[in-house]
Amino acid sequence: MYRRREFIAGSLSLMTVPVLAQDVPPAEEEAPQPAWLTADIAPGATVYVAPDGKGDGLSWASAAPLEAVGALIDRITPGGQVCLLADQPFQVETTIEITAAGQAEAPVRIVGMREDGAAGQAQLVGTRTVWAGAKTSEDAVDASAFGGNTLFKLNKGAGYLHFAGLHVSHFATVLDLSGSDAKGIVVEDVEFFNIRDGIYTDDAASVSDLTLRRFSGRGFSKKAVRFHGTCTNWLIQDCHLDSGWQYGDNFAVGIEAHDSAHGLHIVGGRTINCMDTQGDDPEQYWNGDGVASERDNHDILIEDHVSAGHTDSGYDLKSEQTELRNCVSEDNKRNYRLWGGIGTEPMVLVGCSSLAPRKRGGSGGAHHIWVSGGDSDEDVGGSVVFIDGTIDGEEPEEAIHVEGGNAAVHLVDTSLGQIDRDRLFVATKKSSVLIEGSASDAGVTAILTDSEIKPISGATTSLPLEADAVASWRIAERDGVDAWLDGNTLVLTAGAVSERAQIIVQARDSAGRATPFVITTESVENPVAAGAVLSLAIAADGSLTDATGMHTIEASDESEVVDGAFHFRGKGSYFTVDASDNFALDGPFWIETTFKIEDRDFALPADVLTVWKTSGDKRAFRIGLTEDRSVAFFWSTDGDTQEQSVLVGPVLKAGVFYTILVDRGPSGIIRLYVDGVMAAKTAEPVGALYASSAPLRVAGRPDGKQAASGFMKSLTIVKGSARCDSDEGCAT
C-alpha cells in the first residue's frame, strides 16, 4: 500500500508527494546507565571500589569498578571518600581520568582500605614490563623499552584531592599533571615499584600547593618527581626515592625542577641510585642526579635530605634563592654541582656534608663541590657559601673544582677531615676564588677603593677593588654605565663627557657576610689623546703608571728605572697590564714605543712588547726582534696563527734608541715605521686582531720566556685612529 506524507518547505508547503511505505525498525533500547551513575549518592559520601566491583559503590557488597573512580569523585564532592579495596590487586589497563575537584576545606580522598574498615594499601598494577628489582648496580637494567601506562590523569579543573594508602607497581606514570592547573593535591603514604615517572608535570602545568608526603619506592627510569612549568608552592616531605639503577631513559633524576617553577620545599627523605651509562661510552658525560634545578627556577629550600649513589650529582642546582640545610651528599661523582648564586645572593649550604665522591664512568672528574664559573672574563660565575659543614672522604681529583671565572666559594667554619689541602681547590680561571674563614672573623670593615672615579669617556677603565680583608666581589646594581667584574677588578665603559653614573658593588668576606659599597663615576676627556687606551708614565721615583688612568701597571719586584727609562731584562725586570678589551684591536689603531736594545747577549728571537700567549692559542700581537735583530711586528687574527703574519723592518743597533710605530687605518693596511720612516706594510687589508685574554707584558711572553733586554722610554696604544696611515711616513 501507499502512504501519503506531507513536506512543508516554503512555496511548496501545499504540495503532497506520494511515497512508498517502508517498514521502520523499532528504536534500539538505550543501554542502562551504570549503577554508580544512577544511585542516590550524596556529596560528602563514602563510596567503595573493588577489582571485581559492578555495583553502585555504596558498600563493599555493591562496590563499583575502578573505572568509576572519576565519576564517583564528581558525585561525592565536596568532601567524601573513595575507598579502594586493599585485599586484592587491581589490574589497571585504562587511565583513571579525574576532572572534578574538592574544596580547600573539603577535599576528596582516594584511599586504600580493608574490607573491615581498617586502613590498608590498595594494590594497583599496570602494564609496564615486569621488573624483579636490583640488589646492586651490577644488576642494573636498561629500562628504555619497559613502556607502561598511566594510572591517574588530572584534567583541567581537578583539584583538592588527597591520595593515600596506595601501592603502585609497573606503570609508566603514577600521576599525570601535564597541563594541569590543580591546587591542593596531597599524595601521602603512596608506595611505588618499577615506574618511569612518578609525579609528572610539563611546561604547561601550573599546579600549586601540592604536598608529597611519604611518596616512596624503588625503580624509576626517568623522574620520580617533576616540578615543571609554572608550578609553585610544593612540599616534598620524607619521600624515599630509589631509582634502583634503572637506566636508558636519558636519564634518571629523583626530583627535577625545570622551566620557571618556583617555591619548592624538600624536607627529609632521600634520593639514591640514579644511573646513566651513555652506552658505556667513557668519552660521554654520564648524567643521573638526585635533585636538579634549572636557571629559571628559584626559591628552593632543601632540608635534612640525603642524596647518594648517583653517576652524576647528588645536588645539581642552577636555581637562584636556593638554600640547603643539614643535607648529606655521598658517593656521587660530584656531590654538589652548583651553578647558581650569580647575583648578589649566593647559594647557601648550612650544616651540610660532602662525603667520599666516586666516579663510576664517563667524562668529567669526581669532586666534593663543583661550581660553574663564567666562560669569558665578563661572565658572572656562581657563588657558594658553605657554613658549619663537613667535607671528607677520598676524592679522585681536587675536592673543590671551579670551571670558569668570576666564581667564589666561601668555606665558613667547615671541617675538612682528611682532605689533602694541596688538592683542596682548583679553578680554571684565576678570577675564581676560595675563601676560608669563620663566622667569628672580623671580616671586611672598610672598602679601600675610591668611591668617586673619573673614567675616560668612551674607553674601558679597570678599577681594582680593595677591602681591609680578603673578599669576593659582586655587582649589586649599576645605573647608567656598562660595567662588569673580572675577579676583584671592576671594568666599565664610560659614557659621554660629564655623564654621571652609579655602581653598587658588594664585598663578601671570610665570615660569609656581604658589605655593599657605592661608586660614582663622572666621565672625562682622555688626558693623553682621543682613543688612547694605554700610555706609560715613568715617575722620578721609578714608579710606573698608566697616564690614561684606565689600567694598573704591575712591575716585577726586581724592576728598575735608569735615567728615566724602564729597564726590561728577561724574567727579572718586567711589567704587566691585565688583559683588557682595550687591547682588542678590531679597527684602526696605532702602537708607538721608544726603546733601545742592550749591548749584551740574550736568546733570539726575542720580544719587547707582547699580548701573546702560546698555550691556549691566545696570540694577538707582539713587537720584537728576529734572529738577526731586525725589528718585527707579529699578529694573529684567530689566536692560533703563529709566525706567518709578520712585518719585518731594519736591524736595530744595540745602545741606540728607536721609535717604533705600528698603525692600521680605515683601509685595513698595517704599516711598520722606524723613526718615522715606513719600513714595511701588508699587501692586503687585515681584519680584527685576536681579542686575547693574555696580559700585556714588557718584555717577553707571560711565562717570561723569549724576553729581550733593553730600556723603554715610552709606550702608547691608541684605538680608533691611525698615527700615520701613509707610505710616506710621518714625524714621530
Side-chain angles (χ1 to χ4, degrees), residues 155 167 170 217 233 287 296 392 397 438 452 514 527 605 706-707 721:
N155 297 318
H167 184 281
H170 311 308
N233 195 26
N287 290 289
D296 290 334
D392 201 1
E397 301 182 41
S438 171
E452 296 184 4
Q706 293 183 255
S721 65

Side-chain angles (χ1 to χ4, degrees), residues 57 86 105 170 339 343 378 466 519 567 684:
E105 66 280 1
H170 311 308
W339 312 65
E378 300 179 18
E466 297 180 83
I519 298 172
H567 186 197
E684 301 291 338

Side-chain angles (χ1 to χ4, degrees), residues 128 131 141-147 171-173 192-198 218-224 226 242-254 273-276 288:
R128 183 173 172 84
W131 176 67
V141 296
D142 183 345
S144 58
F146 275 18
F171 283 92
T173 305
F192 66 79
F193 181 80
N194 185 30
I195 62 173
R196 184 176 190 269
D197 282 283
R218 184 161 63 95
F220 61 87
S221 61
K222 193 66 172 178
K223 311 289 187 279
R226 297 183 189 234
D242 180 359
S243 179
W245 305 286
Q246 289 196 4
Y247 66 90
D249 250 340
N250 191 28
F251 45 89
V253 175
N273 301 328
C274 291
M275 183 176 184
D276 179 35

Side-chain angles (χ1 to χ4, degrees), residues 126-469:
T127 63
R128 183 173 172 84
T129 299
V130 173
W131 176 67
K135 294 181 179 179
T136 71
S137 60
E138 298 299 319
D139 302 321
V141 296
D142 183 345
S144 58
F146 275 18
N149 55 330
T150 296
L151 177 54
F152 294 109
K153 172 70 172 82
L154 268 59
N155 297 318
K156 285 277 189 179
Y160 297 109
L161 303 172
H162 187 161
F163 299 86
L166 308 178
H167 184 281
V168 178
S169 57
H170 311 308
F171 283 92
T173 305
V174 177
L175 179 60
D176 182 0
L177 295 166
S178 56
S180 174
D181 58 357
K183 294 183 179 180
I185 303 299
V186 176
V187 178
E188 185 172 40
D189 295 316
V190 172
E191 185 178 350
F192 66 79
F193 181 80
N194 185 30
I195 62 173
R196 184 176 190 269
D197 282 283
I199 309 302
Y200 183 93
T201 58
D202 62 0
D203 59 2
S206 57
V207 179
S208 60
D209 303 322
L210 179 145
T211 297
L212 299 180
R213 185 178 294 112
R214 296 180 298 280
F215 173 73
S216 303
R218 184 161 63 95
F220 61 87
S221 61
K222 193 66 172 178
K223 311 289 187 279
V225 180
R226 297 183 189 234
F227 180 61
H228 287 201
T230 56
C231 294
T232 185
N233 195 26
W234 282 30
L235 171 64
I236 301 176
Q237 183 175 10
D238 296 332
C239 295
H240 299 280
L241 309 172
D242 180 359
S243 179
W245 305 286
Q246 289 196 4
Y247 66 90
D249 250 340
N250 191 28
F251 45 89
V253 175
I255 301 169
E256 181 187 73
H258 208 278
D259 303 315
S260 59
H262 56 281
L264 174 63
H265 186 190
I266 302 171
V267 57
R270 62 179 182 168
T271 55
I272 61 175
N273 301 328
C274 291
M275 183 176 184
D276 179 35
T277 67
Q278 295 284 357
D280 289 325
D281 186 346
E283 301 301 320
Q284 296 294 317
Y285 192 89
W286 293 14
N287 290 289
D289 304 315
V291 181
S293 64
E294 296 298 326
R295 286 292 189 195
D296 290 334
N297 302 125
H298 57 89
D299 293 296
I300 295 177
L301 174 62
I302 307 173
E303 298 182 281
D304 304 313
H305 187 262
V306 175
S307 190
H310 310 295
T311 49
D312 192 8
S313 303
Y315 300 92
D316 188 336
L317 305 174
K318 301 180 179 71
S319 47
E320 297 298 323
Q321 291 87 55
T322 298
E323 183 173 346
L324 284 73
R325 290 184 170 273
N326 304 317
C327 293
V328 176
S329 191
E330 180 176 7
D331 193 36
N332 311 290
K333 180 167 66 176
R334 294 169 177 176
N335 279 342
Y336 296 94
R337 194 176 189 205
L338 307 175
W339 312 65
I342 61 175
T344 58
E345 295 302 319
M347 302 188 83
V348 177
L349 290 78
V350 180
C352 295
S353 297
S354 175
L355 305 175
R358 175 160 65 113
K359 179 177 178 177
R360 290 168 168 81
S363 61
H367 310 288
H368 283 280
I369 301 173
W370 182 97
V371 178
S372 172
D375 293 332
S376 73
D377 292 341
E378 300 179 18
D379 292 335
V380 180
S383 178
V384 178
V385 178
F386 199 90
I387 304 170
D388 291 328
T390 297
I391 300 174
D392 201 1
E394 295 183 2
E395 71 284 350
E397 301 182 41
E398 58 271 11
I400 302 171
H401 179 91
V402 177
E403 188 71 31
N406 294 319
V409 179
H410 291 253
L411 301 182
V412 182
D413 296 315
T414 297
S415 171
L416 297 178
Q418 302 300 312
I419 297 297
D420 181 354
R421 294 199 66 86
D422 291 338
R423 298 167 61 193
L424 175 60
F425 177 78
V426 169
T428 59
K429 290 180 178 288
K430 67 178 183 180
S431 57
S432 292
V433 296
L434 170 69
I435 297 176
E436 295 182 74
S438 171
S440 62
D441 291 348
V444 171
T445 61
I447 306 295
L448 307 180
T449 301
D450 289 340
S451 61
E452 296 184 4
I453 61 172
K454 296 184 180 296
I456 294 170
S457 172
T460 300
T461 297
S462 298
L463 178 68
L465 299 174
E466 297 180 83
D468 62 349

